[in-house]
Amino acid sequence: ELPSLNEITTAILEEDPAWQAECVMLLRAAGHLTDWLAADDDHLVPAVGETAPAPTASAVFSPALLEHFHCAAPEAESRIACIVALMREAIRAWPVGQPLRILQLGIAAGGLTRALEPVLAEAGNQATRARLVVADTDESWVSRLATLYTRSPGIEVVHVDATLDALTPLGPFDIVVSAGGLHGLENIALLCANLGGHLADGALAFIAEIVPSAFHDVVFAGTQGWFDAVLVDGVPRGRLRDRERWTALLATGGLVAADAESPRAALPGGSLILATHPAAEAQTRTTAIDEQDATSSEGAPAEPALVLGPTTGFGHTLAKTLHDALCARGRPAALDLSPAVYRG
């Protein structure tokens, strides 16, 4: 006979209290499961254009619990730390004085935004003018985060829909980041398809997402919108996707994924996607700020950037991607893959 769910979660927490949020959510979902399973199919998969009668995730688990789950749970911390490390490497290789426009897609309770604050400060210390725009389709989370960063220079929080029209005056963006935030966006397929129009030539994307799991499908089964996206062989599929499906979805917006097969690219319960937005030969996008910063105040050409990296592994892929991105934007750059000088 199997032990009860209470006994299982108690044993887990005694072994490692860091999994508190997952255990509490599992117990709370179990309490709702009977009602969720008793509902008809339309409760989980509403007709197109209709609003699901299911409660929102915040109504079931409370915003505080969801914040802990998305920001402080072990797997969430791994995703956030991975993106922050990649951003630090990107900023270290970014040409001094060149504006850096960063787009965070998906708030995911704000954990990544908070973790990026010191990274933006570091960029300022090396004369890189970095600006972070945080975008989400959930108005309630946008309102909460915008209140926190009302007086924070260099950080702007905006509500978007799948057209991403609200991003037009704020881009084009040089780097796109997300840590468990993409799957929570509404109309994600259309949103990804429209993303390319807001990216600079040679833009980078650092995406860490949650892989599909029975845990998430059980815990979020009865919440609004979890199973309303796709039917596969008549069975509703949840919001989560594996790396291959995210790669294909991002490709519709012109983002080409690089090889991420290395130990560093492995995330507990997640997948990492490193992608670039190649320069479009038939279309050039310039802004006044780009033209102003293309030369120094004396009119001399911009100093070439030196990108350092190892000869193999994930660091090699990142260094080469950064070098190609800078060259695509017309910035002089040199690539040095000598192990003797790399200190990453």
Side-chain angles (χ1 to χ4, degrees), residues 39-55 186-187 220-231 235-239:
D40 56 30
D41 291 341
D42 288 341
H43 176 79
L44 297 180
V45 190
V48 176
E50 293 183 3
T51 302
E186 297 298 328
N187 298 318
F220 294 103
T223 61
Q224 193 173 107
W226 187 259
F227 281 119
D228 69 353
V230 180
L231 286 175
V235 178
R237 185 190 293 260
R239 285 180 173 269

Side-chain angles (χ1 to χ4, degrees), residues 14-254:
E14 288 177 349
E15 181 71 22
D16 189 352
W19 297 95
Q20 178 182 358
E22 286 85 346
C23 289
V24 172
M25 293 174 74
L26 188 59
L27 288 169
R28 196 163 297 178
H32 290 276
L33 200 56
T34 301
D35 294 335
W36 290 345
L37 294 176
D40 56 30
D41 291 341
D42 288 341
H43 176 79
L44 297 180
V45 190
V48 176
E50 293 183 3
T51 302
T56 63
S58 296
V60 175
F61 301 112
S62 82
L65 180 57
L66 287 173
E67 183 173 351
H68 184 87
F69 175 68
H70 287 298
C71 304
E75 291 182 356
E77 287 185 330
S78 295
R79 290 190 296 272
I80 293 171
C82 177
I83 299 303
V84 169
L86 288 169
M87 280 302 308
R88 282 199 163 98
E89 291 192 34
I91 288 174
R92 192 167 58 207
W94 205 253
V96 174
Q98 178 179 337
L100 176 59
R101 290 154 294 195
I102 308 162
L103 171 63
Q104 178 187 328
L105 280 178
I107 289 176
L112 179 59
T113 308
R114 287 191 293 272
L116 287 175
E117 283 186 77
V119 178
L120 297 178
E122 292 169 14
N125 292 338
Q126 67 176 50
T128 297
R129 290 180 288 165
R131 181 185 187 189
L132 174 65
V133 174
V134 185
D136 203 294
T137 57
D138 188 318
E139 291 188 66
S140 61
W141 277 111
V142 168
S143 177
R144 291 182 62 181
L145 201 68
T147 301
L148 293 175
Y149 291 102
T150 300
R151 299 182 181 276
S152 298
I155 300 178
E156 185 168 353
V157 186
V158 297
H159 176 255
V160 297
D161 58 21
T163 67
L164 296 180
D165 288 344
L167 298 180
T168 300
L170 304 173
F173 295 95
D174 305 296
I175 300 180
V176 181
V177 296
S178 186
L182 284 189
H183 73 268
L185 300 174
E186 297 298 328
N187 298 318
I188 184 62
L190 180 58
L191 187 150
C192 286
N194 289 326
L195 181 58
H198 301 278
L199 302 181
D201 290 340
L204 303 170
F206 305 142
I207 308 295
E209 258 299 335
I210 307 168
V211 296
S213 72
F215 170 83
H216 289 85
D217 284 344
V218 168
V219 166
F220 294 103
T223 61
Q224 193 173 107
W226 187 259
F227 281 119
D228 69 353
V230 180
L231 286 175
V232 179
D233 297 329
V235 178
R237 185 190 293 260
R239 285 180 173 269
L240 301 179
R241 294 168 166 82
D242 58 23
R243 185 178 186 275
E244 288 69 29
R245 292 181 65 211
W246 278 120
T247 296
L249 201 57
L250 292 168
T252 64

Side-chain angles (χ1 to χ4, degrees), residues 129 287-296:
R129 290 180 288 165
T287 63
I289 195 168
D290 287 329
E291 295 170 357
Q292 175 184 344
D293 290 308
T295 59
S296 66

